[in-house]
Amino acid sequence: MSPPYGDIEMASPTKEYLNGFPSVAQFIAQDKDKSSTVYRRFDRLAARNLLYQQSRLQQLEKKQQSLDDEDLQNGDLDSKRAATCWEEFEALAKVRERERERMETAEEIEKHLRAYHKSLLLHSGVLGLNKPAKRTLKAFKKWFEYEEGKTRLRGESRHILDDEDDEDDLTNTLDNGVIHISEHKLSRFVNILSILIAAVLLIGAIVALNYIQSQDTQMGLIAVYIAMFAGSVGLLTSAGRAEVFAATAAYAAVLVVFVSGIRSG
């Protein structure tokens, strides 16, 4: 049975893609924000590769040190002069076996050390990528495994989403497992929601307090609005504790001043 495509929001509704790598690639690439990407870091493989390279360099380092120790104890004048001058070392490496061995060891160290440092830098960059959001990963898996036991890729590729601790950078949220929600649209929605809540908490509090005459009811209502304001600031913004406290104190002061003005009037 072919995997369903009717419930997937593609970039081009009329465009169909071959099932397999083409369709999975299109599913990943279709989001304009490029936020629906899920790729494995292969942490264990990367660690093992670095360990192998490290061990190889460790062995070469020991070999070079052994050659140094031998020259220190038994080296002739030419060997000791070559240890202080690259040109003499290079010239001797062309005519004497011992210096040739030293040169080959140095060149091998250079080659493997470059590869090792490159691997370290690349791996450190990969480790800096964000972990996938659980909801996003769950939705991706639901789309990838479209029926029980049936995935959009076969062979070993069917396991690409098995290890939740080995995925990196992705952000987008997919609800119902099939529809991409743009990160930009989601951010705009949150901003609009924050503005509406702020307006309701300020205007609503003023209107309510203006019509309530009971002092006890006014105090209770102020407490409720302050708690709601503090909660909304803490949940809908990235403000720290000190900022939440300062904003809440300012909001409370506005309500208290307003109530005082009503009573004095």
Side-chain angles (χ1 to χ4, degrees), residues 160-173:
I160 60 174
L161 299 177
D162 285 356
D163 188 357
E164 292 187 14
D165 293 329
D166 206 21
E167 276 92 20
D168 54 48
D169 189 42
L170 76 100
T171 52
N172 196 23
T173 54

Side-chain angles (χ1 to χ4, degrees), residues 17 22 41 50 71 75 84 89 101 105 112 121 125 182 206 210 215-216 219 260-261 263:
Y17 292 85
R41 284 198 311 241
L50 287 170
D71 283 345
T84 64
F89 173 43
E101 182 183 7
T105 301
H112 293 302
L121 290 174
S182 169
I206 291 175
N210 186 54
Q215 182 175 344
D216 292 339
M219 292 298 101
S260 300
R263 291 176 182 173

Side-chain angles (χ1 to χ4, degrees), residues 2-245:
S2 298
Y5 290 99
D7 55 352
I8 301 173
E9 183 179 89
M10 292 294 189
S12 175
T14 60
K15 179 70 173 178
E16 291 187 6
Y17 292 85
L18 179 66
N19 182 41
F21 290 106
S23 62
V24 176
Q26 170 60 16
F27 181 80
I28 292 173
Q30 66 182 321
D31 182 23
K32 293 181 180 179
D33 294 330
K34 305 303 179 188
S35 58
S36 58
T37 54
V38 181
Y39 300 106
R40 288 192 59 188
R41 284 198 311 241
F42 292 100
D43 286 340
R44 286 187 294 275
L45 286 182
R48 189 164 181 171
N49 178 56
L50 287 170
L51 286 172
Y52 282 151
Q53 291 179 289
Q54 180 179 259
S55 296
R56 184 190 294 116
L57 284 168
Q58 183 78 24
Q59 186 180 32
L60 290 170
E61 182 184 44
K62 182 179 180 181
K63 180 179 180 180
Q64 190 177 66
Q65 185 60 50
S66 177
L67 292 170
D68 288 343
D69 293 341
E70 289 179 14
D71 283 345
L72 178 64
Q73 299 298 325
N74 306 312
D76 57 17
L77 181 60
D78 287 338
S79 294
K80 292 182 179 179
R81 285 176 60 85
T84 64
C85 178
W86 170 259
E87 289 80 8
E88 293 187 24
F89 173 43
E90 190 175 33
L92 278 177
K94 296 177 181 179
V95 297
R96 296 210 319 189
E97 180 62 31
R98 181 162 186 78
E99 275 65 32
R100 184 180 299 113
E101 182 183 7
R102 270 186 166 280
M103 181 64 75
E104 291 174 352
T105 301
E107 290 173 348
E108 194 173 1
I109 288 174
E110 179 188 9
K111 180 181 69 174
H112 293 302
L113 190 60
R114 185 187 299 114
Y116 177 65
H117 284 166
K118 183 178 180 180
S119 296
L120 274 178
L121 290 174
L122 288 173
H123 189 53
S124 66
V126 170
L127 290 177
L129 295 173
N130 297 325
K131 291 284 187 178
K134 291 184 178 180
R135 184 168 57 173
T136 305
L137 184 58
K138 181 180 179 181
F140 198 114
K141 286 182 174 181
K142 184 176 180 181
W143 178 85
F144 186 75
E145 185 175 356
Y146 58 93
E147 285 185 16
E148 184 67 29
K150 293 184 179 181
T151 57
R152 298 179 186 272
L153 297 179
R154 299 187 299 111
E156 289 303 313
S157 297
R158 69 184 186 277
H159 300 302
I160 60 174
L161 299 177
D162 285 356
D163 188 357
E164 292 187 14
D165 293 329
D166 206 21
E167 276 92 20
D168 54 48
D169 189 42
L170 76 100
T171 52
N172 196 23
T173 54
L174 313 176
D175 290 322
N176 299 321
V178 292
I179 299 177
H180 284 77
I181 300 177
S182 169
E183 192 76 16
H184 174 71
K185 292 180 180 179
L186 187 61
S187 177
R188 185 169 59 183
F189 171 77
V190 172
N191 290 336
I192 293 174
L193 181 62
S194 300
I195 293 172
L196 290 176
I197 291 177
V200 168
L201 289 175
L202 187 59
I203 300 174
I206 291 175
V207 172
L209 292 172
N210 186 54
Y211 284 97
I212 294 176
Q213 302 301 320
S214 170
Q215 182 175 344
D216 292 339
T217 304
Q218 285 181 338
M219 292 298 101
L221 196 58
I222 289 176
V224 170
Y225 273 107
I226 290 174
M228 290 173 61
F229 179 84
S232 64
V233 172
L235 292 175
L236 297 177
T237 70
S238 58
R241 295 179 182 177
E243 294 168 321
V244 172
F245 181 81

